[in-house]
């Protein structure tokens, strides 16, 4: 995702990091290169200008230049300012007092409405909600079939009617069906056209006034860069949007859309589409995208948090372990306990690399439970098993499950997740970001 931009920024900061003490000139030089990188990524020039002026203002501040690690301070500032232009805090779907909550998905042709509708429904279903999909794109009969097929594959019911029925009427019927069947979410797939035009906007307006949606979400193809920003602006002006979903972030999008769209339109990004499969929809976290752009993955957040809980020395040790690929279940347990000291578990568990998938929907109570379970499983292992989880065979797995009051499936799940973490730490040590990683550990905490 956004590899080219990441590469360029990493180069700029690496060069800066090699300089040691920095002058104002060094900073300006680096910021000029950052500017180039952002413009080449097709970020809106106004956004770039404002971004750089905030970064500069903070970067030439006396505490940065006189600190021992000025380059790291600057990376930290860039990171924070990136988060700010991406919207700051993550924005969740609106909740309604009186379900079903209606989500109207709008967007140009091929932007990913139908796919995203099903992804979203599948995700809500996974969270214990009861979604109903509505085929309100009647312009092409194939669109109805596509939604029915995808809905069936994800076991989500689809309300569809004859294509001659006007979409607002279909929506009314769908709402009735939702109430009768106790659906908690109604997700409406609408027609898309190649360009914004009057008939489409009119139809969407009609649907909006029939449905009183809790959310009007626009899917935009992240690969179309600044055009995406323009499209979002027009949709927002005309029908009013509550959120954006940037699709095809897995492709070779340069980043311009992602980095400009929130600042220019004022509409929050709520999800990223990251693939064609039905599970490729991520809740949008400004901080995560920022650190991805800076080439640090979720590690940056993780390390920052870890640092406040651990002392510096422990953090160094952990870094060395990760570099050597020797991060084991014992370390994981240790970290979880440290992190536990710091409150909001759901969020913190999310930051443990590799665990974000599992925990992205956890609330705190769930996070707590999940952590207790993981802890129990690890505690039921022998010392050797924690060091070398590969030795855990079926027999050992059953024993561990019995000992921890869980099931062999739970044990397996933990082991699989742990393998993911190991893969991640290994890819880090293969040189994707070791230089920055080292630097990050020297970073004072906020
Ligand atoms: N790689 C990738 N492909 C995606 C993503 N989202 C959608 N697609 C693909 O984009 C194409 C168009 O997606 P649709 O969901 O049919 O788009 P739509 O907006 O419903 O299109 P119309 O109904 O024609 O207006 C499909 O081939 C999807 O598989 C994504 O996040 N990543
Ligand atoms: Mg469609």
């Amino acid at each position: 995702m956004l590899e080219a931009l990441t590469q360029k920024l990493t180069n700029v900061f690496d060069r800066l990091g090699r300089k040691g003490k920095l002058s104002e000139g060094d900073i300006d030089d680096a910021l000029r290169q950052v500017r180039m990188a952002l413009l080449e990524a097709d970020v809106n020039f106004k956004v770039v200008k404002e971004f750089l002026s905030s970064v500069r203002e903070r970067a030439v501040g006396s505490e940065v230049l006189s600190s021992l690690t000025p380059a790291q301070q600057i990376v930290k500032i860039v990171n924070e300012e990136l988060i700010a232009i991406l919207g700051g805090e993550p924005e969740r779907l609106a909740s309604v007092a009186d379900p079903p909550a209606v989500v109207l998905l709008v967007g140009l042709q091929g932007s990913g409405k139908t796919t995203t509708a099903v992804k979203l429904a599948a995700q809500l279903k996974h969270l214990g909600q009861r979604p109903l999909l509505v085929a309100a794109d009647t312009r092409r009969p194939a669109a109805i079939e596509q939604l029915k097929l995808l809905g069936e594959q994800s076991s989500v019911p689809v309300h569809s009617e004859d294509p001659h029925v006007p979409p607002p009427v279909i929506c009314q019927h769908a709402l009735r069906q939702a109430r009768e069947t106790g659906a908690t979410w109604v997700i409406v797939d609408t027609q898309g056209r190649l360009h914004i035009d009057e008939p489409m906007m009119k139809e969407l307006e009609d649907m909006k006034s029939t449905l009183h949606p809790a959310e009007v979400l626009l899917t935009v193809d992240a690969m179309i860069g600044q055009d995406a920003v323009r499209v979002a602006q027009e949709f927002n002006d005309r029908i009013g949007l509550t959120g954006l979903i940037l699709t095809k972030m897995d492709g070779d999008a340069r980043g311009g859309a992602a980095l400009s769209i929130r600042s220019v339109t004022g509409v929050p990004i709520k999800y990223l589409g990251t693939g064609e499969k039905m599970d490729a929809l991520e809740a949008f976290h400004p901080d995560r995208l920022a650190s991805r752009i800076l080439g640090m993955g979720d590690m940056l957040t993780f390390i920052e948090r870890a640092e406040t809980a651990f002392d510096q020395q422990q953090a160094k040790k952990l870094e060395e372990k990760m570099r050597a690929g020797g991060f084991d279940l014992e370390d994981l347990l240790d970290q979880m306990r440290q992190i536990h000291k710091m409150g909001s578990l759901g969020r913190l568990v999310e930051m443990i690399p590799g665990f974000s998938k599992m925990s992205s929907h956890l609330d705190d109570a769930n996070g707590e439970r999940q952590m207790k379970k993981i802890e129990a499983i690890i505690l039921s292992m022998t010392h050797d098993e924690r060091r070398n989880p590969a030795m855990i065979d079926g027999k050992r797995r059953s024993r561990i499950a019995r000992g921890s009051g869980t099931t062999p499936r739970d044990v397996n799940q933990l082991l699989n997740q742990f393998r993911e973490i190991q893969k991640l730490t290994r890819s880090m040590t293969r040189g994707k970001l070791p230089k920055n990683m080292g630097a990050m550990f020297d970073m004072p905490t906020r």
Side-chain angles (χ1 to χ4, degrees), residues 107-113 139-140 191-195 200:
L108 292 184
Q109 193 169 320
S111 60
K113 292 176 296 298
R139 254 187 15 132
R140 288 181 304 123
Q191 63 155 299
R193 303 202 177 184
L194 279 176
H195 304 283
M200 174 175 69

Side-chain angles (χ1 to χ4, degrees), residues 295-329:
M296 292 172 265
D298 287 2
M299 289 307 289
L300 178 64
T301 335
F302 172 61
I303 288 161
E304 274 197 347
R305 295 294 172 119
E307 256 191 331
T308 50
F310 293 46
D311 64 29
Q312 204 83 350
Q313 218 179 355
Q314 254 181 309
K316 264 243 134 65
K317 254 198 260 161
L318 173 65
E319 186 206 18
E320 273 157 24
K321 271 211 142 158
M322 283 185 159
R323 275 176 191 273
F327 184 75
D328 61 27
L329 282 165

Side-chain angles (χ1 to χ4, degrees), residues 172-382:
Q172 268 167 344
H173 295 162
L175 266 183
R176 197 187 315 144
Q177 186 189 330
R179 292 209 181 89
E180 281 165 11
T181 57
T184 51
W185 290 85
V186 171
I187 300 172
V188 184
D189 181 30
T190 63
Q191 63 155 299
R193 303 202 177 184
L194 279 176
H195 304 283
I196 291 178
D197 64 16
E198 192 46 38
M200 174 175 69
M201 287 298 188
K202 177 79 180 58
E203 182 174 300
L204 294 177
E205 267 175 344
D206 287 349
M207 278 202 258
K208 199 178 166 189
S209 52
T210 314
L211 285 165
H212 305 292
E215 295 276 359
V216 182
L217 301 177
L218 177 78
T219 55
V220 269
D221 182 339
M223 308 236 272
I224 65 175
Q226 284 310 294
D227 281 344
V229 179
R230 197 181 39 74
V231 167
Q233 186 86 61
E234 282 188 47
F235 267 94
N236 190 38
D237 288 347
R238 181 68 195 258
I239 54 171
L241 300 172
T242 60
L244 304 168
I245 301 179
L246 290 178
T247 61
K248 310 186 194 178
M249 286 291 285
D250 51 312
D252 51 7
R254 284 179 294 165
L259 283 167
S260 319
I261 205 160
R262 164 72 211 240
S263 293
V264 176
T265 64
V267 181
I269 304 171
K270 293 202 171 166
Y271 290 92
L272 300 180
T274 54
E276 295 192 54
K277 293 228 182 79
M278 288 307 117
D279 61 355
L281 183 72
E282 293 180 11
F284 179 66
H285 292 263
D287 55 345
R288 291 190 196 166
L289 187 63
S291 41
R292 262 189 220 172
I293 289 170
L294 292 175
M296 292 172 265
D298 287 2
M299 289 307 289
L300 178 64
T301 335
F302 172 61
I303 288 161
E304 274 197 347
R305 295 294 172 119
E307 256 191 331
T308 50
F310 293 46
D311 64 29
Q312 204 83 350
Q313 218 179 355
Q314 254 181 309
K316 264 243 134 65
K317 254 198 260 161
L318 173 65
E319 186 206 18
E320 273 157 24
K321 271 211 142 158
M322 283 185 159
R323 275 176 191 273
F327 184 75
D328 61 27
L329 282 165
E330 199 107 51
D331 301 309
L332 178 67
L333 185 61
D334 226 295
Q335 278 184 61
M336 290 200 334
R337 285 178 169 165
Q338 295 277 359
I339 282 172
H340 193 202
K341 291 182 194 156
M342 299 162 49
S344 179
L345 252 168
R347 266 195 63 86
L348 285 161
V349 173
E350 273 181 60
M351 287 171 192
I352 301 178
F355 270 61
S356 46
K357 254 193 234 126
M358 163 186 87
S359 64
S360 58
H361 315 302
L362 290 181
D363 54 26
D364 278 1
N366 258 329
E368 187 85 35
R369 230 177 299 129
Q370 193 70 26
M371 213 194 89
K372 284 254 145 42
K373 198 155 135 186
I374 294 172
E375 190 170 16
I377 293 174
I378 298 179
L379 286 174
S380 297
M381 295 178 184
T382 64

